[in-house]
Amino acid sequence: MSRRGYWLAPGFKQPRFPKARLEIRPLLLAVWLGCLAVAPNALSGLSAAPDMQAVGANLRDNAVDRGESGPSATAAVPWTVVAVFEPPPAQLEAASIFPLLTLQAREGREDLRVVFAWVRHSAGWIGDVWSLVMAASPQLLPPGAVNSGGDADHSHAFLADLVCRDIGYASPDTAHSYQASAGYLPSAGVLGFALHDLTAGRLVAKAWVALARQGVRLTPQVQLYGSPQNSLTSSPPWQVYPGFVPFGLKWGLAPNGVVPGEERRLSGSLDRSLKSMLWWSGLPEGAPVCGKLRLSVVQGGLVRTLATAPYSGGDQTMPVDSKWLPAGVFELQLWFEDVNHHLWLLDEGQYVAGKVTAEARISSFHPSKERMTIQGDLVITSDGPVNVQRVNLKLQLNNGEWLDSPIVSDPITVDGKYTMPFTASCPWTNPSVEPGNGGTNIMQLTVSPAISLPAGVVAEMRQQSVYLVASPEPMYSVTEDGYVVVHPIEYPRAFRNPLKGIRSLGLEVPEPLSPLDVVRTPMNPLSSLTKVYIPWNALEERASDGVDKIRAFSEKLWGSLPHDIKVIPRVILQWGPQGEEKYWPSDLEPGDYGSAEFKQRLVKLIQKLGAAWDQDPHVAYVEMGLIGWWGEHHHPAISPELQRLIGDTFLRSFPHKLVMYRNPANFEGYPFGVHWDSFAHPDEIGSHVPLIEMQGDLWKRAPRGGELTCDWGRPMAASVTDAILNHTDEIVYWIRRLHWNHLGFWPDMYDWTNDALERNAEEIHKALGYRFVIREARYPARIAPGSTLTLSLSVLNTGSSPFYYNWPVMVYLLDLETGKVVWSQPWEGVDIRQWLPGGGFPKVEPAVYNISGQWALPATLDPGVYILAIGILDPGWNEPQLRFAVVNHLSNNLCPLGKIGIDANIDDPALDRFVDLRTGDPLYVTLSDPSEKGGA
């Protein structure tokens, strides 16, 4: 695979992709804006305090002119400093610490400091990360203050003799403008700090500290770029203001007063009092400061104060005069008075007194030739008494609106929970005549509620979607000799299934180990496979490193993936051309592919990989990698000697996992699959297709994968997006001709949410790999406990490749009401690897595989009606994962065939309610002509 357009000179990173980063959760920017909104007015009102203005000017002017902190003030007065800056790329790339604000004081012989800085440090296997650090002289901190930043390394000379605390994880961005702000109130020893990303419009971090000493004369020094002489004279990026703005301080409501969580809702118990507390231990004893609480309600754009109370820290109850809290949005504000009695807004929050949720729940539908009747419930819940003026339901088929009329027009009162049954009748089009959803016979029916509430009440509306599948004839029939015959409907759309299809680039090895500076795109909803390139030195830095290191690294990398997502790892030594050989172990010579020492280490590494990955249930297939650019066995070409050495070692080390290699001209005679990393590229079709087809029926035992790329030579399309939009037929042709199992797209950044792209991508996904369709199932309608159950299936594979692992087929009896498993047994003698597809060149039609089995049922089974189901287990997790491409599907990945009577008669074996394979929403089966007998 070529990466033209992404090749780099030595020492430079890929400019096209932003670095992955660890970020803290953004907080409300409105808090900071509120502070700034108050600050200018308050500052203008300080003209009566010339000593404070003079101190601010003195601090600012001296620091700008001299490039250092200004002289100590004659008195410890409140101040606020604001600095705006952009991190310069050169300094940031080379620096391990990036100071923002330094506050200094000298008391006697003590030099005291408080530092806010960005610090780069190692985070183990993750690599280097940036953290925001607040560091202070131990004398300034209360007893017991420790580093709360975990095991972060802050052993920088700049922070020597300081106690450090991490206040957030976020990488500085050289393309962004930041504002660092600090406010200091000496009389209380309170210092607040906030860092805002002005470009992104978000709060990056905020922190505060209550110093152990009050009255310390801290003066600000801005060291933005690690040097106080950084061009501050021409255009000062910082300003010092007299007065205190408490950046970074936080407050909250006591748990008994608020429903826990970010919504901060007032509960009904707050009709008499409101309890508040600061998230600190209260103001220092005797400090000449106080706070004020104000509770107000916003209704119709007007603000009405409900209660006020003084505040001095700690837990406090504020009486509320109103006998009840009206529905609406409340504001709780905490105001702060400094020593000169100038009020500053500390923080504020909005709280919802009542929240109403309206949820539509469809229980049944009754189709006829011209109309459909929908039945269900509208469930409305509230936190307290709420008057609902009007209720509407909107029904939509696909994207077309059917009904928009009031179901209830009279006002109702909801206090807790209110359930309202509804029946709606609407005209509809026979889906067999005019199918929806991009030409398939699946139609989406959505019921959306809307309610009218008093002003200020927050409402949440939850719609429900179900899917309707049209069947040209009844799915179920019963023969004269008492056997149920089922003809399931093939599911028409693509869906996610294990070990096949569109592959994603969903994993990234973190820097500095990562060969890719790529922020991965989200997993495509069709993808069950994800690719990861792993540097050799991430798994083994020296020969003495053992298998445990590989297992630990792998667990951190993919251990948290869902069980239905599997990984294709490839170990590499070099990412691309021009000498980027930085992934070699430290005790090997980079680029030395031919020495005896390298060959010995190569064998030992492959053996370690086999010990770590051969039975790892997260691993799908293993790509050889190791040799050449991107591990693709070119630059240098892989010699015959290395082919034999690597091939033999992989065969011995991976008896269970299937292995793939890059070039079909290599590894002749080995039972390995191919990953063609420029699939169907016109410049490689002539060289690759003949060699692949000369392998005969190897595709029946070894998977073929890789990626489609359009970034070099004369590709089939200008881009991946263009290829999917305009060359789908060509891609599908080569998939079916060559029996292809999976494909990625390079770069993996096409917009799969685009409707046209999604439709075409689904066709590609359906062609890739296996696709098992049940044509018929047959079983007895009634059977006695302790007797023999017989079941036969007709199955065909409409995909392009087999399923490559021997996963077991299971037979189940499920409780009719709950769907829980009552009995299960494996289907002995069935090997799904033998369910081969058609395709090839010339094209061959897929064969129909007829299988049958018998099982002795327990004599202890309770009489009754059960569901007979089948499933295919992932033995690595011992749970059903592989799904048949039929609409008969349950949320536990089982395929329900129909009802069966255990010592009981069944009136109708039909099941008509399933779970949609693609979305997980309810799915119903109806007939093209609902008047036909046997229709659901």
Side-chain angles (χ1 to χ4, degrees):
M1 169 182 59
S2 172
R3 299 289 193 274
R4 198 178 69 174
Y6 302 96
W7 294 359
L8 310 171
F12 287 85
K13 294 184 179 290
Q14 299 184 39
R16 203 157 177 178
F17 300 107
K19 285 185 179 180
R21 61 192 61 186
L22 298 172
E23 296 186 354
I24 62 172
R25 179 173 54 86
L27 303 176
L28 292 175
L29 184 61
V31 173
W32 168 70
L33 294 175
C35 293
L36 291 187
V38 176
N41 296 330
L43 290 172
S44 64
L46 291 177
S47 57
D51 57 331
M52 296 174 70
Q53 280 195 337
V55 169
N58 196 13
L59 288 171
R60 182 179 65 253
D61 294 342
N62 277 277
V64 170
D65 292 341
R66 298 166 50 191
E68 59 187 30
S69 59
S72 298
T74 56
V77 296
W79 51 257
T80 296
V81 60
V82 178
V84 178
F85 63 96
E86 292 183 6
Q91 288 89 333
L92 194 62
E93 183 70 22
S96 59
I97 185 168
F98 186 72
L100 302 176
L101 297 173
T102 300
L103 316 174
Q104 294 183 316
R106 184 174 181 85
E107 290 193 346
R109 295 186 176 183
E110 290 184 323
D111 288 317
L112 305 176
R113 283 192 302 159
V114 178
V115 176
F116 297 95
W118 246 314
V119 176
R120 176 165 36 201
H121 56 83
S122 173
W125 71 274
I126 294 178
D128 283 359
V129 298
W130 287 91
S131 62
L132 284 160
V133 172
M134 177 173 65
S137 300
Q139 306 94 309
L140 290 176
L141 298 178
V146 295
N147 180 2
S148 64
D151 56 1
D153 176 18
H154 302 306
S155 58
H156 298 273
F158 189 80
L159 303 178
D161 302 323
L162 302 181
V163 176
C164 300
R165 179 163 67 95
D166 290 340
I167 59 177
Y169 289 91
S171 301
D173 195 320
T174 57
H176 284 213
S177 177
Y178 293 90
Q179 176 172 282
S181 313
Y184 180 48
L185 186 65
S187 58
V190 175
L191 176 65
F193 170 81
L195 180 67
H196 289 86
D197 185 333
L198 301 181
T199 303
R202 69 181 184 90
L203 177 64
V204 177
K206 65 178 182 178
W208 62 272
V209 60
L211 302 179
R213 300 182 185 181
Q214 286 76 53
V216 176
R217 298 176 181 178
L218 287 174
T219 55
Q221 173 187 18
V222 179
Q223 268 190 310
L224 291 176
Y225 308 147
S227 169
Q229 289 84 28
N230 189 71
S231 305
L232 298 183
T233 55
S234 58
S235 177
W238 59 288
Q239 298 288 330
V240 178
Y241 302 98
F244 169 58
V245 177
F247 295 101
L249 296 183
K250 299 183 289 186
W251 59 274
L253 293 176
N256 67 334
V258 168
V259 177
E262 290 301 318
E263 292 177 355
R264 295 181 175 181
R265 290 183 288 163
L266 296 175
S267 68
S269 64
L270 296 180
D271 55 353
R272 294 187 180 88
S273 65
L274 181 69
K275 194 174 184 181
S276 178
M277 65 177 181
L278 273 176
W279 292 345
W280 54 338
S281 59
L283 297 175
E285 190 73 27
V289 292
C290 66
K292 288 185 178 180
L293 287 166
R294 182 176 73 184
L295 178 68
S296 56
V297 63
V298 182
Q299 290 180 311
L302 300 177
V303 179
R304 181 162 64 93
T305 298
L306 297 179
T308 60
Y311 182 79
S312 57
D315 290 352
Q316 181 172 322
T317 298
M318 178 176 65
V320 179
D321 296 335
S322 303
K323 294 182 179 180
W324 64 284
L325 291 176
V329 178
F330 291 81
E331 290 183 348
L332 182 63
Q333 298 172 328
L334 178 59
W335 295 77
F336 194 93
E337 281 191 359
D338 66 18
V339 291
N340 292 306
H341 305 290
H342 296 286
L343 288 176
W344 300 88
L345 175 64
L346 178 63
D347 208 343
E348 65 179 334
Q350 290 189 339
Y351 300 83
V352 180
K355 182 176 180 179
V356 176
T357 301
E359 181 177 3
R361 299 175 182 175
I362 300 174
S363 59
S364 65
F365 70 95
H366 305 280
S368 65
K369 288 186 176 181
E370 297 179 352
R371 298 189 68 80
M372 176 178 289
T373 301
I374 314 295
Q375 292 181 326
D377 294 319
L378 181 65
V379 180
I380 305 175
T381 56
S382 67
D383 293 336
V386 176
N387 293 323
V388 179
Q389 301 298 320
R390 188 179 179 90
V391 178
N392 286 62
L393 282 179
K394 178 185 294 183
L395 278 72
Q396 291 178 314
L397 180 67
N398 295 337
N399 294 321
E401 184 176 310
W402 278 7
L403 176 70
D404 188 5
S405 60
I407 303 300
V408 174
S409 57
D410 297 331
I412 59 175
T413 299
V414 178
D415 189 358
K417 184 176 181 180
Y418 183 91
T419 301
M420 178 194 311
F422 70 83
T423 299
S425 180
C426 352
W428 76 311
T429 303
N430 189 320
S432 66
V433 176
E434 209 171 283
N437 214 347
T440 72
N441 62 339
I442 288 187
M443 309 182 82
Q444 181 180 2
L445 172 66
T446 304
V447 181
S448 306
I451 57 178
S452 177
L453 296 169
V457 178
V458 174
E460 179 182 351
M461 305 298 163
R462 298 176 182 174
Q463 66 182 24
Q464 185 184 16
S465 293
V466 299
Y467 290 81
L468 312 178
V469 179
S471 174
E473 58 185 23
M475 287 174 55
Y476 294 88
S477 61
V478 181
T479 66
E480 292 183 357
D481 57 351
Y483 273 79
V484 176
V485 180
V486 190
H487 294 100
I489 304 170
E490 180 177 353
Y491 186 78
R493 300 191 65 187
F495 59 95
R496 189 163 76 192
N497 231 4
L499 297 165
K500 65 150 283 177
I502 293 177
R503 191 208 71 205
S504 175
L505 281 173
L507 284 183
E508 179 183 6
V509 180
E511 288 283 2
L513 299 173
S514 176
L516 288 175
D517 291 336
V518 180
V519 177
R520 298 301 193 200
T521 54
M523 287 289 292
N524 186 311
L526 298 175
S527 298
S528 66
L529 295 171
T530 183
K531 175 72 165 291
V532 59
Y533 296 88
I534 305 178
W536 182 328
N537 59 5
L539 303 175
E540 183 191 77
E541 179 62 27
R542 305 186 62 82
S544 57
D545 291 339
V547 177
D548 289 344
K549 182 175 181 179
I550 299 176
R551 289 196 181 107
F553 185 90
S554 304
E555 177 64 24
K556 289 181 179 179
L557 193 58
W558 58 63
S560 61
L561 286 177
H563 290 178
D564 62 344
I565 303 293
K566 295 186 183 293
V567 180
I568 304 175
R570 183 195 300 180
V571 180
I572 65 169
L573 282 167
Q574 182 172 342
W575 182 258
Q578 303 193 26
E580 295 178 4
E581 299 170 341
K582 58 183 178 182
Y583 307 120
W584 286 69
S586 59
D587 55 355
L588 285 179
E589 181 67 28
D592 179 15
Y593 289 100
S595 69
E597 182 183 8
F598 172 77
K599 295 172 185 176
Q600 292 173 359
R601 288 289 298 280
L602 185 66
V603 168
K604 291 181 179 179
L605 177 70
I606 296 171
Q607 292 170 344
K608 293 176 186 178
L609 295 179
W613 293 346
D614 187 51
Q615 301 207 51
D616 185 339
H618 285 294
V619 175
Y621 315 116
V622 178
E623 292 182 355
M624 282 185 178
L626 298 169
I627 307 299
W629 296 351
W630 308 295
E632 291 187 5
H633 303 171
H634 58 79
H635 297 85
I638 184 167
S639 66
E641 179 189 4
L642 274 181
Q643 290 180 44
R644 290 190 296 272
L645 183 67
I646 294 174
D648 292 343
T649 309
F650 266 102
L651 271 181
R652 291 191 299 267
S653 302
F654 287 90
H656 301 98
K657 286 291 187 292
L658 296 175
V659 177
M660 306 171 71
Y661 64 100
R662 169 63 178 91
N663 194 323
N666 298 331
F667 295 97
E668 184 178 356
Y670 285 92
F672 299 143
V674 173
H675 60 88
W676 185 3
D677 284 356
S678 289
F679 177 78
H681 195 293
D683 289 356
E684 288 192 352
I685 285 178
S687 60
H688 281 58
V689 170
L691 292 172
I692 290 172
E693 293 190 324
M694 286 174 61
Q695 294 177 346
D697 63 357
L698 182 60
W699 61 270
K700 298 178 181 180
R701 305 182 302 279
R704 294 171 175 174
E707 60 192 27
L708 186 149
T709 183
C710 298
D711 66 344
W712 71 277
R714 297 167 297 172
M716 71 166 62
S719 65
V720 168
T721 297
D722 181 21
I724 297 173
L725 278 175
N726 301 308
H727 298 268
T728 300
D729 291 343
E730 182 180 352
I731 296 171
V732 169
Y733 167 79
W734 288 112
I735 288 172
R736 294 199 177 277
R737 174 169 171 171
L738 300 175
H739 302 287
W740 225 253
N741 176 259
H742 62 269
L743 272 180
F745 299 100
W746 179 267
D748 185 16
M749 294 181 182
Y750 73 97
D751 182 10
W752 51 262
T753 61
N754 176 286
D755 289 341
L757 276 171
E758 183 181 25
R759 285 194 298 270
N760 290 6
E762 285 199 34
E763 292 304 309
I764 295 171
H765 184 83
K766 287 167 63 177
L768 286 164
Y770 63 93
R771 182 177 170 91
F772 296 150
V773 179
I774 301 174
R775 284 288 183 252
E776 182 180 285
R778 184 182 294 259
Y779 62 89
R782 174 174 176 149
I783 188 171
S787 59
T788 300
L789 168 66
T790 60
L791 172 62
S792 61
L793 288 181
S794 296
V795 182
L796 71 160
N797 182 352
T798 63
S800 298
S801 80
F803 187 82
Y804 288 102
Y805 293 113
N806 190 17
W807 286 12
V809 180
M810 299 291 292
V811 180
Y812 301 87
L813 290 180
L814 310 177
D815 184 277
L816 181 63
E817 300 299 326
T818 65
K820 291 184 178 179
V821 175
V822 176
W823 169 87
S824 66
Q825 284 292 315
W827 196 325
E828 301 291 348
V830 176
D831 186 347
I832 63 174
R833 295 175 297 180
Q834 303 304 317
W835 297 351
L836 300 178
F841 183 77
K843 183 179 179 181
V844 176
E845 293 300 319
V848 176
Y849 294 89
N850 297 308
I851 60 174
S852 61
Q854 295 182 336
W855 300 266
L857 294 180
T860 55
L861 275 177
D862 292 334
V865 178
Y866 294 81
I867 297 174
L868 180 63
I870 59 174
I872 300 180
L873 289 184
D874 179 343
W877 305 113
N878 196 33
E879 59 190 25
Q881 290 291 352
L882 194 155
R883 301 180 289 177
F884 290 91
V886 293
V887 299
N888 304 49
H889 176 65
L890 299 178
S891 57
N892 56 6
N893 290 332
L894 296 184
C895 173
L897 298 175
K899 298 174 187 174
I900 185 172
I902 303 299
D903 211 11
N905 293 324
I906 53 173
D907 297 330
D908 184 359
L911 299 171
D912 65 350
R913 301 184 185 185
F914 305 109
V915 174
D916 187 81
L917 278 166
R918 177 72 180 270
T919 66
D921 290 323
L923 181 145
Y924 296 81
V925 175
T926 185
L927 292 176
S928 297
D929 185 352
S931 64
E932 289 282 347
K933 183 179 179 180

